[in-house]
Amino acid sequence: IRLFNAIALGFVGHAKGGPAKVAVLSSGFMGMISGSGVANVLTVGQFTIPLMKRFGYTPVFAGAVEATASMGGQIMPPVMGAVAFIMAETLNLPYAEIVKAAIIPALLYYFTAFTMVHLEAGRGKLMGLPKAQCPNPWKHMRENWYLLVPLAILVFMLFDGFTPEFAGMMGLCMTALLILGAAVAARIHPTVF
C-alpha cells in the first residue's frame, strides 16, 4: 500500500487537486490486486482521506472520493470482485475473457473519477503538494521491484490460461519468496535495502 501511495503521490501529488488525484490513482492500483471496495477504502482511505482534508477538501467530499475510487476496484482487472469469477463459471468462458472485457469500462470509470476530482479542484482552487515534498515514483519502483513482480506474474498467468486459483496461489508464493529474499538481503547487506 505504501508503494502504491508513493507512486501515486510522485505522479500526481503536485498537480491541481493532487491529494484527491492520489486517492483515485492509489485506489485504482489497490483495486488491481484486491477486487474489494471495502478493503480498498480500509487500506488506502486511512492515508488519502486525511491528506485530502489537510489540503482543503471537505470531509464529505474526501470520503466520497475515496469511496467512489475504491468501489472501482470491483471492476478493475486483473483481480476483480467475486462476480467476475461467477460470470466466468456461468458463461463457461475463461476468466481472461472476462478480464479483457472489463479493461475499458474500468479505465473509463477511473478516468471519470479523476476528471471529476480535477474539476472540483479547479472550482475550489485546491492545489497539490509542493513538488519537493512528493516522492520520486521511479525510485520507489526500483527499490520495491520485488512487490511488483508477483502482480506481473499473476497477470501473465491469468492471460496465459491458468485458473485464477492457481495464478493467485503462485502470486502469493512469489510474494512470500521475494519478501523473504529481500529480508535476508537486507540483513546481509543493510545498505542495499
Side-chain angles (χ1 to χ4, degrees):
I1 295 156
R2 280 180 281 165
L3 175 62
F4 292 152
N5 288 337
I7 292 171
L9 265 172
F11 282 128
V12 296
H14 60 280
K16 177 171 53 173
K21 291 178 180 176
V22 167
V24 173
L25 198 58
S26 192
S27 292
F29 289 149
M30 185 63 186
M32 288 174 62
I33 59 170
S34 74
S36 167
V38 175
N40 209 341
V41 169
L42 182 64
T43 55
V44 176
Q46 60 184 302
F47 169 74
T48 58
I49 292 173
L51 181 68
M52 285 186 275
K53 286 168 45 179
R54 194 169 76 225
F55 278 85
Y57 286 94
T58 64
V60 172
F61 188 78
V65 166
E66 186 55 49
T68 301
S70 293
M71 285 300 133
Q74 295 181 355
I75 61 168
M76 187 67 174
V79 178
M80 298 184 289
V83 175
F85 296 101
I86 295 169
M87 286 172 61
E89 188 70 30
T90 304
L91 298 173
N92 199 23
L93 289 171
Y95 183 72
E97 293 300 315
I98 303 295
V99 169
K100 288 176 191 173
I103 290 172
I104 292 174
L107 292 177
L108 288 174
Y109 182 89
Y110 278 101
F111 174 76
T112 303
F114 198 86
T115 302
M116 292 310 299
V117 161
H118 180 76
L119 294 174
E120 176 66 19
R123 188 174 68 87
K125 296 185 179 25
L126 300 169
M127 302 313 294
L129 285 77
K131 181 84 169 165
Q133 291 181 12
C134 294
N136 182 341
W138 303 110
K139 178 181 175 223
H140 278 277
M141 284 190 272
R142 265 194 319 274
E143 290 174 353
N144 298 296
W145 61 269
Y146 56 89
L147 297 174
L148 298 173
V149 170
L151 181 60
I153 288 171
L154 175 71
V155 171
F156 171 78
M157 291 182 79
L158 283 173
F159 281 100
D160 201 42
F162 289 95
T163 64
E165 295 86 5
F166 184 73
M169 183 58 70
M170 290 300 104
L172 285 173
C173 291
M174 183 58 70
T175 301
L177 287 173
L178 289 171
I179 290 175
L180 180 63
V184 169
R187 289 188 70 108
I188 295 171
H189 300 287
T191 57
V192 174
F193 292 94

